[in-house]
Amino acid sequence: MSIAPRLSSHAVHGHDAGPRLAKELAAAATRPSLVLVAVTESIDLAAVLADIQQATTPDTRVVGTTSSGGLFTEAGLFRSPAAGALCWTGGTFDDFGTACAALDPDASARAVARDVAERACNDAGHPSETPELVILLSTPGRE
């Protein structure tokens, strides 16, 4: 019997949004396999990612990005300062891998993409496989 995957989103407003978001995730009944974190420009992304990693299990993949001005969720707009998370929990296909690359203007975009995809597949425990889903978090204009 497989468990159907579940998506949930969380968002909080205020300068202490990061620690409160981590606390909210820690209190959740289920533990996500993947957490996509977004913070507005006045929130320290690295600190929020560290808080989220401490609030989740060691095998939870946590990645983050920044947003300018606010975050949209199904609950509406959370204006800056704000932090939010989209969580994927359970399901048969929850082998997530993550990888990151620096934005180098002299690098071949194709080579960087190939390298990042290969490292993410290795991280997921599926080396040499073609990913079924790719989520790209990038600086606008560098996608």
Side-chain angles (χ1 to χ4, degrees), residues 33-47:
S33 303
L34 174 67
V35 180
L36 300 174
V37 177
V39 300
T40 57
E41 69 283 351
S42 61
I43 302 288
D44 181 355
L45 177 61

Side-chain angles (χ1 to χ4, degrees), residues 33-34 59 61 88 90 93-98 120 123-125 133 135:
S33 303
L34 174 67
D59 58 339
R61 298 299 188 258
W88 174 289
F93 305 103
D94 66 349
D95 296 335
F96 293 102
T98 60
D123 185 54
L133 172 67
I135 299 172

Side-chain angles (χ1 to χ4, degrees), residues 52-64:
I52 300 291
Q53 287 172 330
Q54 287 182 353
T56 58
T57 61
D59 58 339
T60 299
R61 298 299 188 258
V62 179
V63 295

Side-chain angles (χ1 to χ4, degrees), residues 8 26 29 35 43 47 58 77 99 101 105 112 114 132 138 143:
S8 62
V35 180
I43 302 288
L77 173 63
V112 171
R114 184 174 289 122
E132 291 187 31
S138 180
E143 306 90 341

